Amino acid sequence: MQMQMLSFWMTVALVVIAILGSAIRILREYERGVVFTLGRFWKVKGPGLIIVIPIVQSMERIDLRTLVMDVPSQDVISRDNVSVKVNAVLYFRVVDPQKAIINVERYLEATSQLAQTTLRSVLGQHDLDEMLSERDKLNRDIQSILDAQTDAWGIKVANVEIKHVDLNDSMIRAIARQAEAERQRRAKVIHAEGEMQAAAKLVEAAKLLAADPRAIQLRYLQTLTEIAGEKSSTIVFPLPIEIMKGIVGEK
């Protein structure tokens, strides 16, 4: 009889220890526990040691650290009808554990799907040149939209970064041809501007030479000196009548 009583009390003690063990929860500094009592929200507890009454209460753990989510590559058609593949990275964290558990079924999956659709929607409103040159502006636009839409889930989107904009080979060749044509256009414009500036200087020089006939003579002699230095057997050089008039004098 005594052995039976001892066995009974040992069993009771083990059950009590098991119940107490299941009731004790330890939450780290970056964790919070959303506690429900008989299915109804009670409070957010943590960090540290907390007690959850078995059967009566249940708890969901929430990580408050900033999470990094890779947004898969999305097929995007830009406003100028160019097909590209774009992927991005999303930085966010839970700021309200109650909303993250109660207002949405799986907040990680919901945030991922929302980021994918927002990425396609925002980039589809811009040209390819804007995607390549205005990434900071596009990142801010996507971040503000996601932050506003996830506020009801207790989530704060801190940053969005577009990582890659992948083009097919034909589009890469077209962009290369466009860049080459743009470089040729700039070269021609620079050359034309140089010709215009040179012509203006020549006009000014001609006016100075025309002011005094002796200046033309000096320029003529300087040109002869430059030609004489070249290794040529025969030199044909025109002799302006104005120079002869300046040498022999006008009659």
Side-chain angles (χ1 to χ4, degrees), residues 15-87:
V15 171
V16 171
I17 292 173
I19 292 175
L20 290 177
S22 63
I24 296 174
R25 307 290 176 85
I26 298 176
L27 297 179
R28 297 180 178 88
E29 183 65 30
Y30 54 83
E31 290 181 327
R32 297 295 183 272
V34 182
V35 181
F36 296 87
T37 301
L38 297 177
R40 296 178 64 86
F41 171 75
W42 180 39
K43 65 169 58 176
V44 176
K45 304 185 70 176
L49 177 67
I50 64 173
I51 302 298
V52 178
I53 302 174
I55 302 176
V56 177
Q57 293 181 331
S58 61
M59 186 191 73
E60 296 285 345
R61 289 176 182 263
I62 293 293
D63 194 328
L64 300 185
R65 292 176 294 181
T66 297
L67 303 177
V68 182
M69 178 179 292
D70 185 43
V71 181
S73 181
Q74 301 296 307
D75 293 323
V76 178
I77 298 179
S78 64
R79 190 172 58 183
D80 51 351
N81 296 323
V82 178
S83 179
V84 296
K85 288 183 177 294
V86 183
N87 62 350

Side-chain angles (χ1 to χ4, degrees), residues 155-174:
I155 293 174
K156 172 65 179 177
V157 178
N159 195 15
V160 177
E161 291 290 339
I162 298 174
K163 294 197 297 184
H164 299 293
V165 178
D166 297 328
L167 304 172
N168 55 42
D169 294 338
S170 61
M171 183 55 59
I172 292 176
R173 289 192 296 268

Side-chain angles (χ1 to χ4, degrees), residues 69 92 104-116 153 155:
M69 178 179 292
F92 68 98
V104 62
E105 183 178 1
R106 290 186 294 272
Y107 68 90
L108 291 175
E109 182 180 351
T111 303
S112 175
Q113 294 296 323
L114 181 61
Q116 296 176 39
W153 304 342
I155 293 174

Side-chain angles (χ1 to χ4, degrees), residues 9 12 35 52 55 62 66 72 118 121 133 135 137 145 154 175 180 183 208 211 238 241 248 251:
W9 286 113
V12 172
V35 181
V52 178
I55 302 176
I62 293 293
T66 297
T118 304
S121 176
S133 61
R135 289 195 181 186
K137 178 179 180 300
I145 293 174
I175 293 176
E180 183 179 0
R183 287 194 295 270
L208 291 175
I241 300 299
V248 301
K251 294 183 178 179

